[in-house]
Amino acid sequence: MEDGVHGSKSVSQSQVRIQLSTRKPDISLPRNPGPILVHTNFRRYALSTLVNTLLGSEKPTPFEFLINGTFLKTTLEEYLTANGISAETTLAVEYVPAIIPPLYLASFEHDDWVSSVDVLSNAPLGGQATGEAGVLSPGQERILSGSYDGLLRVWNMSSEVLATSPSAANGGHTSSIRSAKFIDPTHIASSGLDRTLRVWKYSESSDQSSAIIHPQIELYGHQGSIDSVAVHQPSNRILSASADHLLGLWSTKKSGAPEAPATLLPSAGSQNAKRRKIGPATSTPQRGPLSLMKSHTAPVSDAMFAPNDPTVAYSTSWDHTLKTWDLLTSTCVDTRLTSHSLFSLTVLPSLNLVAAGSSARHITLIDPRASATAISVMTLRGHTNLIASLDLDPQSSYGLVSGSHDGTCRVWDVRSSKSEKDGRVGESIYTIQRESAKGQGRNVGGEGVKVFSVCWDQDVGIVSAGEDKRVQINRGKGMIEADPPK
């Protein structure tokens, strides 16, 4: 094909050949044009115009461009220079639809800070697809929130509370809830500052207008706040991360759990014993851990099962480390030391990477495999306070969302990165502000709007919760190009 742009006399210095391609059949070029000669001063917009011209689009579509797996954020000339590539090289350029902004959809107001959020939908949950227990129709999804007032709440998509967990006097948490997850459509796990985990039965009325959260098991073993829980429903297992420096493994079934340590039960303290005599709380079965694993030397901040192997777990800690655990033997099998305290994690399984949110305002991508030679593969920068929560894009291998104490959530595509002297550095592709803070000026350090928890669900969207006493929902689809069907 002839020059993509005419008018330059010094072709060798101002132009470069590109080979355009896409993985999406609906936007592929009608015929292969071969290498196209374009000006090296082209940026994303000019390339997008070129692709739309080749497609003959009546309504232009904005595109993003990937070269060697990295989004083009500069001119082609600046890209060639930064990567030491000759202008004589033919660049393979992949084009994808530009991102759709994560539009604000709704907020659910609470009486106190919201520490944790989870979603029940047809997306995979706790190691299985929730649809196995009955397909949910659009609009039937449920949102679970855990609050500093010690209560769990389940919401429908109309922002109505279907159920609230019992108070402390009736078998509920005796202090703030720190983490909560759906185990399956009829069971919930939660943990809190009261050093307990609890398994709850969740049941809805036939007309789905109301529901009940009923205590099933109280789990004792930790001697500090339990700040994170993860669930794996097929194996009936719960992981816990605690301020007592321990990682806990528990059974969701009372028949499969050991007796609770007598010294940690409420009856061991006279003040709590008096409370336990009030109401039906005393009838809730009490159980202990399958194991408590020690290797961290400071509070454990987060933990999760390896997505492809539930006998393996990862944990992060204030001691600056990411640890890998063999749950069959309850032993730490690998430790990766970073430069800062780590507060959150998620796994990008297809890339063999663990993302860890730090106190230093960045996310470190770590290859946890024993064969890895470098601790940090990439650093994601942009937040201005610690990263409290992370979750994966449910439809892309390359995307994740972070929630920070700076009062924002950021969406990342790990392909949107560049090389710097300290290694690969990624920038967020979108920042989600708290709706409650709009029109109030800039919050220094996120004061009043800190984000404590974020969940990315393929049906509901990006759901976040925090200090503003709200659960906020933003659109989540179309942010990053979805993986091709398997």
Side-chain angles (χ1 to χ4, degrees), residues 151-171:
L151 301 176
L152 298 168
R153 293 173 178 84
V154 176
W155 307 72
N156 63 19
M157 297 308 296
S158 299
S159 74
E160 298 168 329
V161 178
L162 296 179
T164 302
S165 62
S167 64
N170 293 297

Side-chain angles (χ1 to χ4, degrees), residues 8-324:
S8 171
K9 295 180 180 180
S10 179
V11 172
S12 62
Q13 294 182 7
S14 66
Q15 296 186 325
V16 65
R17 287 179 173 81
I18 64 171
Q19 179 71 57
L20 291 167
S21 66
T22 187
R23 301 183 197 183
K24 297 178 72 66
D26 58 323
I27 56 171
S28 61
L29 299 177
R31 60 186 180 87
N32 185 355
I36 304 171
L37 204 57
V38 300
H39 280 295
T40 54
N41 65 0
F42 267 29
R43 294 177 180 268
R44 184 194 68 81
Y45 181 80
L47 289 171
S48 189
T49 301
L50 172 61
V51 171
N52 276 290
T53 300
L54 294 171
L55 288 171
S57 305
E58 292 184 7
K59 185 178 180 181
T61 300
F63 292 105
E64 300 276 1
F65 296 88
L66 287 155
I67 305 176
N68 293 327
T70 301
F71 279 102
L72 180 68
K73 297 293 185 182
T74 62
T75 64
L76 288 170
E77 183 174 4
E78 290 169 324
Y79 175 84
L80 293 171
T81 302
N83 291 276
I85 300 173
S86 167
E88 300 297 319
T89 303
T90 298
L91 291 176
V93 179
E94 179 186 351
Y95 60 95
V96 298
I99 64 170
I100 300 173
L103 299 176
Y104 169 72
L105 298 177
S107 290
F108 301 171
E109 295 191 16
H110 292 64
D111 296 327
D112 206 338
W113 295 358
V114 188
S115 56
S116 185
V117 69
D118 196 23
V119 176
L120 177 67
S121 72
N122 285 318
L125 174 73
Q128 71 165 9
T130 59
E132 292 178 9
V135 176
L136 295 173
S137 301
Q140 288 186 324
E141 299 89 358
R142 300 292 181 253
I143 292 177
L144 169 67
S145 63
S147 175
Y148 272 71
D149 62 10
L151 301 176
L152 298 168
R153 293 173 178 84
V154 176
W155 307 72
N156 63 19
M157 297 308 296
S158 299
S159 74
E160 298 168 329
V161 178
L162 296 179
T164 302
S165 62
S167 64
N170 293 297
H173 281 284
T174 60
S175 188
S176 299
I177 290 174
R178 294 284 290 145
S179 184
K181 293 282 194 304
F182 279 109
I183 300 171
D184 58 41
T186 58
H187 293 87
I188 294 167
S190 64
S191 69
L193 292 177
D194 60 5
R195 307 178 180 183
T196 70
L197 290 98
R198 293 166 193 256
V199 176
W200 309 82
K201 174 72 173 176
Y202 174 71
S203 54
E204 292 190 4
S205 61
S206 57
D207 63 359
Q208 299 180 332
S209 63
S210 63
I212 296 174
I213 300 174
H214 182 73
Q216 272 205 322
I217 315 172
E218 296 175 359
L219 297 169
Y220 295 87
H222 282 299
Q223 299 186 57
S225 170
I226 305 172
D227 297 326
S228 174
V229 294
V231 299
H232 185 256
Q233 193 278 334
S235 62
N236 300 317
R237 294 292 183 264
I238 301 174
L239 269 178
S240 59
S242 174
D244 65 6
H245 305 185
L246 301 178
L247 186 74
L249 182 65
W250 314 77
S251 173
T252 63
K253 305 292 185 182
K254 59 185 177 184
S255 59
E259 289 298 312
T263 55
L264 297 180
L265 294 178
S267 56
S270 58
Q271 184 176 2
N272 281 334
K274 185 176 181 180
R275 179 193 64 79
R276 297 283 297 176
K277 293 176 183 177
I278 304 173
T282 52
S283 63
T284 305
Q286 300 164 337
R287 295 291 185 270
L290 297 172
S291 65
L292 291 174
M293 294 164 273
K294 181 170 177 56
S295 181
H296 285 294
T297 58
V300 186
S301 54
D302 205 356
M304 68 178 295
F305 293 94
N308 300 325
D309 186 354
T311 67
V312 174
Y314 301 110
S315 62
T316 50
S317 169
W318 296 21
D319 66 11
H320 301 191
T321 67
L322 166 75
K323 290 183 181 286
T324 304

Side-chain angles (χ1 to χ4, degrees), residues 397-414:
S397 300
Y398 302 98
L400 65 154
V401 66
S402 56
S404 168
H405 282 191
D406 65 10
T408 70
C409 292
R410 287 180 181 255
V411 178
W412 311 82
D413 185 325
V414 297

